[in-house]
């Protein structure tokens, strides 16, 4: 379902020197599969997620989702494709502060080409345990509740793939397990493939498939 | 979720900044609305004032002056024309009688507490519409309990009817005159008071939005009977013996130093001291063949026209050969073969060719007045107010632009959720437009509210009736103009949103 082939990304540093970040010959994720990606800080995990999401483009290589190479799509089509096929849970949640929990989820549906489905948004929030908090703005929600809203928003558009960038990084250890379990369960229920980046060994240990970026990445060859 | 909702939420997010920007916009728009409405009402006031009549006929002199003192009750009356000349318009067998539908005489020169007194006839109010609504004429109405002047000469109680008055609503309000009030008018603006005769208010006009709201109308018959308002009877006419009252009683010229009496061949100024003409005491005048102290010698003299011999029996109307009028307001009759409007140029030419009077087109003069005084002011004020709105729009731009740095992450999140660059750009422009629109609408409401608040003061000082609910067509253009300006103002911050590097804004770092 997700296939990366010969994906390379290099950053140019202020002094003009090139810094190779990614060189991934091949990486695949099957439909409904749940994969955790580990790696050192600054190793390019977030960059990889951005490339998969089409937020950033690789210098070369192919990123296919359901047979569509998103690197070949024009920017507007890529944005639309991302809205329709992918959900994204950020480390800092990135909920919009002026919108209520329900509106944040509805916002996730706005750009996907379908009309916003309030019923589904409410259902998702109910699924993540926020039935009574629909009209609350992020500032009125706890960190854990905010993360649950972010999960509901990411799943709002029936994506094929959910990208989660260290979703437990800002949550206390006691609640990390709940959040990971919530994400995994809802992805299973929706038959959504999951690619989660984490630093936490406890979180990584719950996944059947754990990929270390250092193993996938062959940046030394690029350099 | 619509883009409008997203834009509105963003405005809410920056509530303080949005409020300040909106208020700034509202103040600018309120100012424009006030200027537009006052300007529009002033123009309407001037234009309405000239409605109802085709021509104004008066003594030769300044055209604008004739219009100003007959239509607007401003400036000084020029001079008078003989009553017989007025009859050429009013009488069916007069020179112009056949083509005239209505001729209203105006006798000017006196005042009451600063308000112009107009000696006229009842037809001014019952046969002359003061304006038109579409094709329907709108006639004067009297406040409850009031009525029109009467045809004094046809009335059994001539002396009562002749001294009746009708007061414009504004003049009544400011002078305190009510139906039944009695008052004495002042000769000229600051001359003596006609203490010998009092007028009785029989009607207060409903507001008309014309200068007539600020005038006092008295029956012309009574006006003539006031001391100093009669001409001397021409020599050789037995029943009129005041041979040399030669027109100086024309009820105004002594107060008006700018009159060119030389233009009036029928006035014998040499025999009078106009400067010292403060009280019209006949003893101060040289009356050839007539001695007020020796009335016995003139048993057959009719003194009533002098208006000061109340003891000599019932007063009679002033003989017509001792009368003058300051102006005649003329409405032409539409004829089958030629509309009234088409007859105007030839009639003006015919009147102006004569030595007695001039005819002016009030609408034309008013238009010239507007073009001379009102139009340039309008452009200056509009220029200033448009500048204010432009500044307010720049304020909107600065406000949104300054917020872009802190909103880059928010924009990046929206982009990551699938919004295109053009979409976030549209959201920012919508924010700008909504702010301007809300500020603008608030400004329109505030402008009309302020107009309502200050309407009485404006009306009192400027004489122009202010209707706070009056909607100027410019206001309808204002809103689309604001939308365009706001969209332009929003373009720069929108471009910043467009250029937002999503990966970078989301905290992408290797």
């Amino acid at each position: 379902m997700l296939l990366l082939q010969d994906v390379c990304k290099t950053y140019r540093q202020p002094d003009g020197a090139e810094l190779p970040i990614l060189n991934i010959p091949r990486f695949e994720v099957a439909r409904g599969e749940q994969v955790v990606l580990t790696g050192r800080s600054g190793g390019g995990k977030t960059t990889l997620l951005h490339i998969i999401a089409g937020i950033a483009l690789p210098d070369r290589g192919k990123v296919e989702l359901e047979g569509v190479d998103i690197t070949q799509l024009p920017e507007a089509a890529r944005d639309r494709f991302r809205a329709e096929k992918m959900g994204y849970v950020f480390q800092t949640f990135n909920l919009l502060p002026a919108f209520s929990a329900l509106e944040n989820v509805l916002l996730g549906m706005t750009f996907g080409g379908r009309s916003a489905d309030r019923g589904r948004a409410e259902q998702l929030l109910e699924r993540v345990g926020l039935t009574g908090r629909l009209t609350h703005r992020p500032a009125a929600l706890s960190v854990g509740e905010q993360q649950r809203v972010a999960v509901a928003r990411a799943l709002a558009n029936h994506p094929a793939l959910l990208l989660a960038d260290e979703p437990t990084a800002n949550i206390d250890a006691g609640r990390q397990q709940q959040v990971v379990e919530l994400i995994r369960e809802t992805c299973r229920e929706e038959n959504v493939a999951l690619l989660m980046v984490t630093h936490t060994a406890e979180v990584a240990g719950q996944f059947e498939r754990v990929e270390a970026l250092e193993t996938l990445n062959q940046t030394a060859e690029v350099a | 979720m619509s883009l409008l909702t997203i834009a509105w939420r963003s405005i809410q997010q920056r509530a303080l900044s949005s409020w300040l920007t909106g208020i700034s916009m509202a103040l600018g728009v309120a100012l424009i609305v006030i200027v537009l409405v006052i300007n529009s009402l002033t123009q309407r006031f001037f234009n309405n004032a000239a409605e109802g009549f085709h021509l104004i006929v008066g003594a030769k002199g300044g055209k604008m002056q004739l219009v100003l003192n007959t239509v607007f009750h401003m400036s000084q009356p020029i001079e008078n024309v003989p009553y017989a000349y007025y009859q050429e318009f009013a009488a069916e067998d007069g020179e112009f009688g056949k083509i005239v539908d209505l001729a209203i005489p105006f006798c000017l020169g006196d005042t009451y507490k600063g308000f112009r007194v107009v000696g006229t006839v009842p037809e001014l109010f019952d046969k002359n519409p003061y304006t038109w609504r579409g094709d329907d004429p709108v006639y004067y109405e009297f406040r409850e309990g009031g009525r029109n002047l009467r045809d004094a000469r046809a009335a059994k109680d001539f002396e009562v009817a002749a001294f009746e008055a009708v007061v414009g609503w504004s003049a009544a309000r400011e002078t305190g005159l009510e139906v039944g009030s009695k008052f004495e008018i002042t000769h000229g603006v600051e001359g003596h008071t006609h203490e010998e005769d009092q007028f009785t208010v029989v009607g207060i006009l409903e507001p008309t939005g014309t200068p007539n709201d600020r005038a006092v109308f008295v029956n012309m018959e009574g006006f003539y009977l006031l001391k100093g308002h009669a001409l001397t009877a021409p020599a050789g006419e037995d029943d009129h013996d005041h041979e040399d009252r030669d027109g100086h009683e024309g009820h105004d010229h002594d107060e008006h130093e700018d009159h060119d009496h030389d233009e009036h061949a029928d006035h014998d100024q040499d025999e009078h001291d106009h400067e010292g003409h403060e009280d019209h005491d006949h003893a101060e005048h040289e009356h050839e063949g007539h001695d007020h102290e020796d009335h016995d010698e003139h048993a057959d003299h009719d003194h009533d026209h002098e208006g000061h011999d109340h003891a000599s029996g019932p007063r009679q109307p002033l003989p017509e050969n001792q009368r003058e009028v300051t102006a005649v307001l003329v409405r032409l009759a539409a004829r089958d073969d030629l509309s009234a409007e088409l007859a105007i140029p030839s009639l003006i030419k015919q009147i102006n060719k004569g030595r007695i009077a001039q005819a002016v087109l009030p609408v034309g003069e008013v238009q010239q007045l507007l073009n001379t005084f009102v139009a340039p002011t309008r452009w200056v004020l509009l220029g200033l107010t448009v500048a204010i709105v432009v500044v307010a729009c720049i304020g909107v731009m600065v406000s949104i632009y300054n917020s872009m740095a802190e909103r880059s992450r928010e924009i990046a999140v929206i982009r990551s959720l699938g919004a295109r660059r053009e979409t976030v750009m549209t959201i920012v422009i919508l924010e700008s437009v909504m702010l301007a629109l809300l500020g603008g609408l608030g400004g329109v409401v505030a402008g009309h509210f302020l107009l309502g608040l200050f309407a009485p003061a404006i009306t009192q000082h400027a004489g122009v009736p202010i209707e706070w609910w009056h909607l100027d067509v410019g206001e309808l253009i204002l809103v689309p103009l604001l939308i365009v300006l706001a969209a332009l103002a929003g373009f720069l911050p929108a471009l910043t949103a467009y250029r937002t590097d999503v990966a970078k804004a989301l905290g992408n770092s290797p």
Side-chain angles (χ1 to χ4, degrees):
Chain A
M1 187 207 62
L2 174 68
L3 171 63
L4 274 71
Q5 256 185 332
D6 299 323
V7 171
C8 290
K9 182 72 178 175
T10 300
Y11 283 111
R12 188 175 293 276
Q13 294 180 303
D15 61 1
E18 290 192 337
L19 178 64
I21 294 297
L22 295 174
N23 178 16
I24 300 175
R26 188 174 181 88
F27 176 64
E28 282 183 90
V29 176
R31 181 174 298 278
E33 190 180 9
Q34 298 191 344
V35 181
V36 73
L37 187 65
T38 60
R40 61 179 176 82
S41 281
K45 299 186 295 296
T46 299
T47 301
L48 177 60
L49 290 191
H50 282 174
I51 286 173
I52 293 171
I55 290 170
L57 283 176
D59 298 331
R60 62 182 169 88
K62 187 165 75 172
V63 179
E64 269 187 17
L65 182 65
E66 293 190 329
V68 177
D69 183 357
I70 62 171
T71 62
Q72 299 303 309
L73 294 175
E75 188 183 59
R78 211 163 56 236
D79 292 335
R80 180 71 173 266
F81 188 80
R82 177 169 62 251
E84 288 174 355
K85 298 292 181 184
M86 288 180 250
Y88 206 125
V89 179
F90 299 91
Q91 183 179 334
T92 49
F93 322 140
N94 283 338
L95 298 180
L96 297 184
F99 294 76
S100 68
L102 180 64
E103 287 171 334
N104 263 289
V105 178
L106 287 170
L107 192 67
M109 300 174 170
T110 301
F111 309 106
R114 303 179 202 175
S115 57
D117 183 347
R118 191 185 172 93
R120 172 157 173 83
E122 288 175 350
Q123 183 193 346
L124 279 168
L125 286 169
E126 191 181 340
R127 171 68 190 84
V128 298
L130 292 173
T131 309
R133 315 285 276 171
L134 302 188
T135 56
H136 288 67
R137 291 193 178 181
L141 299 173
S142 69
V143 173
E145 286 173 329
Q146 287 182 45
Q147 188 59 298
R148 281 186 268 167
V149 174
V151 171
R153 184 178 68 183
L155 292 169
N157 254 356
H158 300 283
L161 173 67
L162 180 72
L163 303 169
D165 190 358
E166 302 192 43
T168 57
N170 291 314
I171 299 174
D172 60 80
R175 290 179 183 265
Q176 283 181 357
Q177 181 59 31
Q178 287 176 15
V179 170
V180 171
E181 197 52 45
L182 175 70
I183 293 172
R184 296 193 68 188
E185 267 182 37
T186 44
C187 281
R188 264 196 295 268
E189 285 166 13
E190 302 265 331
N191 194 27
V192 174
L194 172 64
L195 178 58
M196 182 185 287
V197 168
T198 186
H199 272 125
T200 315
E202 290 78 15
V203 171
Q206 296 173 39
F207 285 74
E208 289 81 25
R209 184 179 165 193
V210 178
E211 297 282 356
L213 186 59
E214 289 78 8
T215 311
L216 295 173
N217 207 356
Q218 297 177 7
T219 47
E221 289 176 23
V222 176
Chain B
M1 180 176 287
S2 70
L3 298 187
L4 277 175
T5 309
I6 297 171
W8 176 241
R9 285 282 181 273
S10 182
I11 288 172
Q12 285 181 316
Q13 175 67 16
R14 297 173 295 108
L16 179 63
S17 167
S18 301
W19 265 106
L20 292 175
T21 310
I23 287 171
S24 149
M25 176 66 71
L27 286 175
V29 170
L31 195 59
I32 289 186
V33 166
I34 289 169
V35 169
L36 285 174
V37 172
I38 290 180
N39 197 275
S40 165
L41 289 174
T42 306
Q43 288 212 15
R44 194 180 75 177
F45 173 76
F46 276 82
N47 285 323
N48 278 0
E51 277 188 355
F53 292 97
H54 293 112
L55 293 176
I56 298 174
V57 177
K60 286 187 183 293
K63 289 180 179 179
M64 184 74 83
Q65 195 178 355
L66 182 58
V67 173
L68 283 176
N69 65 57
T70 51
V71 176
F72 297 101
H73 309 300
M74 294 159 69
S75 185
Q76 310 297 354
I78 301 173
E79 253 300 345
N80 300 315
V81 294
Y83 190 82
Y85 193 72
Y86 151 65
Q87 290 289 45
E88 300 291 353
F89 295 88
E92 272 189 34
D93 56 350
E95 185 181 356
F96 310 109
K98 284 195 174 62
I99 60 166
V100 170
D101 178 40
L102 185 65
I104 302 288
F106 264 25
C107 296
L108 306 173
D110 287 1
T111 56
Y112 176 68
K113 290 188 176 175
F115 291 94
R116 284 301 174 94
V117 170
V118 180
T120 189
V121 292
E123 286 82 354
L124 173 67
F125 303 113
D126 58 21
K127 288 187 179 171
N128 164 49
Y130 67 86
T131 190
W132 296 77
R133 287 199 187 106
D135 290 334
D136 301 325
V138 183
Y139 289 93
Y140 290 92
E141 288 180 8
F142 294 90
R143 295 217 144 164
E144 201 176 336
R147 61 167 173 80
N148 196 356
L149 303 170
R150 289 181 289 158
D151 180 355
R153 287 210 266 186
K156 288 178 183 172
D157 51 349
F158 170 79
E159 271 191 287
V160 177
F163 287 93
E164 288 178 346
V166 162
V167 187
W169 81 276
S170 185
R173 201 176 59 169
E174 290 180 40
T175 58
L177 287 176
E178 297 171 348
V179 172
S181 300
K182 292 184 183 300
F183 64 100
E184 295 153 2
I185 62 178
T186 303
H187 193 63
V189 180
E190 292 174 346
H192 67 267
T193 301
H194 292 288
E195 291 173 350
E196 69 282 4
D197 288 301
Q198 285 190 324
F199 283 89
T200 304
V201 178
V202 295
I204 306 290
L205 293 173
E206 290 285 2
T208 62
T210 71
N212 285 348
D213 288 343
R214 298 179 63 78
V216 175
F217 300 90
V218 300
N219 196 308
M220 190 170 69
E221 295 299 330
F223 190 88
Y224 282 135
L225 294 181
L226 295 177
K227 186 171 156 185
H229 282 196
L231 282 178
T232 302
E237 293 191 16
D238 290 340
D239 56 339
H240 303 294
D241 56 339
H242 293 209
E243 297 166 340
D244 59 345
R245 295 282 311 276
D246 59 9
H248 73 274
E249 293 94 340
H251 45 78
D252 54 5
H253 54 270
D254 49 345
E255 283 84 19
H256 311 306
E257 296 173 10
D258 56 342
H259 289 173
D260 181 5
H261 291 252
D262 291 334
E263 289 180 14
H264 305 283
D266 53 337
H267 293 173
D268 180 8
Q269 297 174 68
D270 295 340
E271 296 179 16
H272 297 279
D273 175 11
H274 290 262
E275 297 292 325
H277 198 229
E278 283 127 17
D279 60 3
H280 272 260
D281 185 343
H282 285 213
E284 292 178 18
H285 298 283
E286 183 184 348
H287 296 283
E288 290 177 14
H290 174 66
D291 180 0
H292 282 268
E293 295 176 352
D294 195 14
H295 279 193
D296 291 341
E297 292 178 24
H298 307 280
D300 57 342
H301 291 175
D302 181 0
H303 289 248
D304 290 348
H305 67 270
E306 297 200 27
H308 51 86
D309 187 2
H310 297 192
S312 59
R315 302 170 79 181
Q316 297 299 318
L318 184 73
E320 291 185 0
N321 62 353
Q322 291 179 258
R323 297 176 174 209
E324 285 184 314
V325 297
T326 312
V328 185
L329 279 60
V330 177
R331 190 173 71 214
L332 300 180
R335 290 181 294 171
D336 292 340
D337 57 339
L338 196 62
S339 73
E341 280 76 11
L342 287 174
I344 292 171
S346 60
L347 184 59
I348 290 178
K349 199 173 172 185
Q350 192 178 346
I351 294 168
N352 289 350
K353 211 161 60 180
R355 290 180 61 235
I356 300 173
Q358 64 169 341
V360 298
L361 208 58
V363 175
E365 294 302 317
V366 166
Q367 206 53 52
Q368 193 185 333
L369 188 72
L370 286 173
N371 291 341
T372 308
F373 298 107
V374 182
T377 315
R378 178 185 173 93
W379 287 115
V380 170
L381 290 173
L382 277 180
L384 280 173
T385 47
V386 165
I388 290 169
V389 167
V390 169
V391 169
C393 278
I394 291 171
V396 171
M397 183 183 75
V398 170
S399 162
I400 298 177
Y401 187 79
N402 284 342
S403 73
M404 293 317 287
E406 66 193 52
R407 290 171 61 192
S408 63
R409 192 174 183 86
E410 184 182 313
I411 289 163
V413 170
I414 292 175
R415 288 287 318 280
S416 74
L417 292 173
R420 294 160 53 187
R421 287 182 189 274
E422 292 80 3
T423 307
V424 291
M425 196 173 178
T426 306
I427 290 169
V428 173
I429 289 176
L430 278 175
E431 272 184 56
S432 177
V433 169
M434 284 168 83
L435 266 178
L437 204 58
L438 289 174
L441 291 175
V444 170
V445 172
H448 284 280
F449 174 77
L450 289 172
L451 276 169
L453 206 62
F454 294 110
I458 296 170
T459 305
Q460 190 173 349
H461 286 96
V464 179
I466 298 298
E467 299 163 352
W468 64 265
W469 61 89
H470 179 84
L471 198 67
D472 184 75
V473 68
E475 292 177 64
L476 303 177
I477 298 166
L478 189 62
V479 177
L481 179 72
L482 271 177
I483 291 173
V484 172
L485 282 175
L488 288 173
F491 189 77
L492 185 63
L495 202 61
T496 308
Y498 181 90
R499 287 175 175 163
T500 299
D501 183 335
V502 179
K504 197 173 172 184
L506 285 174
N508 182 22
S509 57

